Amino acid sequence: FHAYAGMAYFAGATSKIRVNSCIAILPLQHPTVTAKALSTIDWMSGGRVTVTFAVGWDEEEFNQLGVPFHERGKITDEYVAAIIELWTKESPEFDGKYVSFKNVAFEPKPVQKPHIPIWFGGDADAVLKRAAKYASGWMPFLTKPEMIGQRIEFIKSQPEYDGRALEV
């Protein structure tokens, strides 16, 4: 299923549960479209959205869409920053290698402040560093249960981690 379509369906069919993408491959869709979809679901559900992004692993998916597979980590970093800009600023502006915008109106903003909770899924150090910089949660994939505490400590040891609560 498409993550955001599924989230919208479940949010509309319920009134209390939180919905989460459980995993959305971020670099495969323009961040403005992603930000709008998630913000709309959050607004229409009364603030019940969490999103879990990942960079992807299937090179053929990227080839089909013309997205450079070996740049997916850098694309993800830039897209997350752009999405947060759209969600949190009244006059969002962003100038990056993969996406740029200015003089745009972006509404609705998410209900949740400062923005929709962002999680990252995966086990690589790069994922955990990204979680340290941007996320309020981490979704392990193949990490053995006995290693989860150590991996959480790795996240918290990163210079970008600011001490915010981190869910797993």
Side-chain angles (χ1 to χ4, degrees), residues 24-132:
I25 309 300
L26 184 56
L28 294 181
Q29 181 170 273
H30 195 280
T32 303
V33 174
T34 297
K36 179 66 82 173
L38 291 166
S39 187
T40 300
I41 301 166
D42 195 60
W43 191 86
M44 294 183 85
S45 71
R48 294 184 288 126
V49 170
T50 297
V51 64
T52 302
F53 292 131
V55 299
W57 60 269
D58 185 355
E59 190 168 356
E60 186 54 34
E61 280 183 313
F62 286 77
N63 293 338
Q64 296 271 331
L65 295 170
V67 177
F69 179 74
H70 296 290
E71 297 177 39
R72 68 194 188 280
K74 291 178 183 176
I75 294 169
T76 296
D77 289 336
E78 192 170 296
Y79 280 17
V80 170
I83 288 168
I84 291 171
E85 177 76 7
L86 290 164
W87 283 345
T88 61
K89 299 295 189 324
E90 286 307 310
S91 299
E93 292 186 10
F94 193 86
D95 186 26
K97 178 179 178 183
Y98 304 101
V99 64
S100 296
F101 50 81
K102 64 181 178 177
N103 301 320
V104 298
F106 184 88
E107 294 294 337
K109 300 286 189 209
V111 170
Q112 299 175 83
K113 302 298 178 207
H115 55 74
I116 293 168
I118 297 170
W119 289 32
F120 284 96
D123 304 295
D125 285 356
V127 172
L128 302 182
K129 289 177 182 180
R130 195 168 290 115

